[in-house]
Amino acid sequence: MEPTTLNTARLHLRPFVPADEEEVYISVQDPDIQRWTMVPSPYEREHARAFVGETVPAGWREDTAYSFAVRLGPDGPLVAAVGVHGRGPGAYEIGYWAAKEHRGRGYMTEAVAAVSRWAFTEVGAVRLEWRAEVGNAGSRAVAEKTGFRFEGILRAAVHRGGTARDSWVGSLLPSDLGLTPSLPYLPAVGGGS
């Protein structure tokens, strides 16, 4: 996949580049990002360097993961990160974090909506999945505002710090955003129970 730039009413989303290292490093020092996401903790400068210089370019090049730096305009500050990675044929997972000083302004919901639309229309996603450790109310609020449907709890699905923890899971389908799916969907009759 060729690296892509997306724009919304307020935001400029582009793949992370090495010049983003310092802002990523500073943002991810936030204890909430380290607590609720899968970034290494403690988060060292080498982690930021490897992320922007190796992990992100490899994901785009190998067509396996697409990470966006979310900025207030092309030259504005880094406000968030949104990434999509493959989970299987047509299935992708979305993840995100917002810089502490930019939370509560709707940027994260705006960015997740833009990346979700892009994943359906350009990547060919059939289903986007959102997962968050149970208790991550901020992540769940963004997912629900974006249109993800809560599907339940996955037991012992998050492995961190030598423990297995439960995870919330939700999904978004193209039809949830008024888009035509790339693959016909036949839902279970009666809810599948």
Side-chain angles (χ1 to χ4, degrees):
M1 170 75 66
E2 284 296 315
T4 300
T5 299
L6 306 173
N7 289 290
T8 69
R10 302 181 294 170
L11 305 172
H12 180 79
L13 295 81
R14 60 149 173 80
F16 282 95
V17 295
D20 297 324
E21 177 186 328
E22 182 69 13
E23 285 179 289
V24 169
Y25 173 73
I26 291 169
S27 294
V28 180
Q29 294 311 302
D30 174 21
D32 286 336
I33 292 175
Q34 291 186 32
R35 164 65 179 94
W36 293 113
T37 70
M38 298 305 289
V39 300
S41 182
Y43 195 81
E44 306 293 341
R45 191 166 298 280
E46 296 77 34
H47 296 123
R49 184 174 302 122
F51 176 70
V52 300
E54 298 168 24
T55 304
V56 171
W60 284 92
R61 184 176 54 252
E62 296 165 9
D63 212 20
T64 56
Y66 318 103
S67 296
F68 291 91
V70 181
R71 296 186 166 279
L72 291 177
D75 300 317
L78 179 69
V79 299
V82 180
V84 173
H85 68 271
R87 293 193 62 80
Y92 293 83
E93 184 175 341
I94 194 164
Y96 42 86
W97 55 256
K100 185 175 187 171
E101 63 273 16
H102 296 288
R103 292 181 192 144
R105 299 179 186 153
Y107 299 143
M108 195 77 269
T109 301
E110 190 174 326
V112 169
V115 172
S116 296
R117 284 186 167 282
W118 172 81
F120 290 130
T121 60
E122 300 300 321
V123 178
V126 175
R127 168 189 166 92
L128 269 181
E129 194 168 280
W130 157 84
R131 293 180 182 208
E133 184 177 331
V134 171
N136 188 346
S139 181
R140 184 170 176 169
V142 167
E144 289 177 340
K145 287 177 190 172
T146 307
F148 282 78
R149 293 189 186 179
F150 182 72
E151 293 180 332
I153 294 175
L154 301 173
R155 298 181 314 147
V158 176
H159 302 173
R160 200 171 68 223
T163 62
R165 302 163 189 226
D166 293 344
S167 173
W168 285 326
V169 64
S171 70
L172 187 69
L173 303 179
S175 57
D176 297 331
L177 300 177
L179 300 171
T180 302
S182 62
L183 188 66
Y185 169 49
L186 182 61
V189 177
S193 45

